Amino acid sequence: MHNHSRFSDGLLSPTQLIELAARTGVDAIALTDHDTTDGLEEAAIAASKAGVLLVPGVEISVNWGETTLHVVGLQVDPASKRLAEGLRAIREGRLGRAERIAAALGKLGFSGTLEGALGLAENKTMLGRTHFARCLAETGAVKNIQAAFDKYLAKGKPAYVPHRWATLEEAVAWIRASGGTAVMAHPGRYDLKPMMRDEMLGDFKRLGGEAIEVVTGSHRPEQYAMWRRVAEEQGFLASRGADYHGPGESPIEPGRLPALHQSLAPVWSKWAH
Ligand code: AMP
Ligand code: MN
Ligand code: MN
Ligand code: MN
């Protein structure tokens, strides 16, 4: 229930992603590109050819205080005006942000990264840090993408540029207005202490958030049990998703993660029969 294509910062086309999922035995898959639903049309065609059920999705970037959160919308309707307008508005700032990232990298001695990142981005309106990381890795400036984040692009590093995304309230409202279900993506990645975590999840729930990711390629396996407990105690449905970005970058392919614990109510119980 969480995968990327070349329409955001994934490496595969939607068709290639669906074909990979069909090969790994997946019966339903969500495409959840960052801040865009543009890949869903192609994904729907590929899914019907492959006999896989497509769950139309999106992963929305959000500011919550100082923290950037990601909220996944599942079963969204890409034709929803409110969702499309909201996503367009948050994508709009990405090019300006990219220019500032490139300028910061320039000061560190890396030139031409804006052109490099743009060249790697199929969807020029969805230029993100991953494209810069790939550019730095390809030119040999860093040994791999992870090193690019660890040294330069992650929060607190010299080429990190803060940005205004959607508010949590907006992201949940857009998802719900389009008929979708709001899922807190990879809650274990936000580095929030338990009190802040509970405040964040409390806000999310109050605003209409219904599920959290428990088993995800963005959690370490030893984190699954804790997030399972949080889902149970705080009354969230649970989601499971690879957060797949492509071969060589994401070790866990769609369909390869362990099942959700049987005590959890899966988010797809809302719509799967
Ligand atoms: P952006 O929306 O442009 O800030 O890019 C966010 C994306 O960068 C995430 O969806 C991940 O794919 C990737 N990313 C963020 N932080 C890291 C990290 N520490 N290590 C590897 N990839 C990361
Ligand atoms: Mn990403
Ligand atoms: Mn994410
Ligand atoms: Mn993701």
Side-chain angles (χ1 to χ4, degrees):
M1 293 296 114
H2 185 154
N3 299 283
H4 297 275
S5 78
R6 290 187 57 79
F7 281 84
S8 64
D9 61 358
L11 290 169
L12 302 181
S13 70
T15 303
Q16 290 170 319
L17 174 72
I18 302 291
E19 286 172 352
L20 169 67
R23 285 200 299 281
T24 65
V26 160
D27 51 14
I29 182 169
L31 176 62
T32 55
D33 274 313
H34 296 286
D35 306 331
T36 181
T37 57
D38 290 351
L40 293 176
E41 204 177 306
E42 180 186 326
I45 295 167
S48 82
K49 278 198 186 128
V52 170
L53 181 73
L54 176 73
V55 175
V58 66
E59 181 175 17
I60 305 182
S61 314
V62 163
N63 301 112
W64 185 79
E66 300 288 288
T67 306
T68 301
L69 304 174
H70 284 172
V71 177
V72 160
L74 295 176
Q75 292 292 29
V76 297
D77 177 2
S80 157
K81 270 223 170 65
R82 238 179 118 195
L83 177 65
E85 270 300 298
L87 295 178
R88 193 193 46 72
I90 53 174
R91 275 198 314 271
E92 231 164 40
R94 277 190 176 267
L95 192 57
R97 169 191 188 235
E99 284 165 356
R100 292 164 66 202
I101 293 174
L105 288 170
K107 281 197 186 139
L108 295 162
F110 307 116
S111 60
T113 57
L114 182 61
E115 296 70 21
L118 268 171
L120 295 172
E122 181 156 300
N123 177 359
K124 312 294 181 202
T125 74
M126 233 317 294
L127 199 53
R129 285 184 289 163
T130 309
H131 303 107
F132 282 94
R134 287 180 189 141
C135 168
L136 291 171
E138 276 186 14
T139 57
V142 290
K143 66 175 196 296
N144 56 36
I145 287 172
Q146 193 54 54
F149 277 96
D150 294 347
K151 288 168 97 165
Y152 305 116
L153 297 166
K155 189 173 180 185
K157 302 300 170 182
Y160 178 79
V161 173
H163 195 64
R164 272 286 279 284
W165 306 111
T167 65
L168 188 57
E169 182 168 9
E170 286 168 335
V172 174
W174 301 338
I175 290 166
R176 288 169 65 87
S178 81
T181 303
V183 184
M184 184 55 63
H186 42 63
R189 276 197 31 183
Y190 303 129
D191 219 17
L192 296 170
K193 303 229 157 48
M195 257 174 67
M196 288 294 268
R197 172 198 77 197
D198 290 345
E199 192 178 326
M200 184 275 282
L201 290 175
D203 281 357
F204 181 57
K205 180 163 242 193
R206 183 173 49 76
L207 294 168
E210 292 177 70
I212 67 171
E213 289 183 347
V214 172
V215 173
T216 144
S218 288
H219 283 169
R220 296 183 307 278
E222 59 271 25
Q223 292 178 291
Y224 298 163
M226 192 199 93
W227 292 101
R228 174 186 134 208
R229 249 192 339 270
V230 171
E232 287 168 354
E233 286 172 8
Q234 304 192 20
F236 284 107
L237 301 171
S239 190
R240 163 175 174 260
D243 202 357
Y244 186 70
H245 284 72
E249 286 192 14
S250 301
I252 298 163
E253 292 179 327
R256 303 278 194 207
L257 282 169
L260 289 175
H261 193 272
Q262 58 188 18
S263 65
L264 289 165
V267 64
W268 52 85
S269 61
K270 275 190 73 182
W271 62 77
H273 300 291

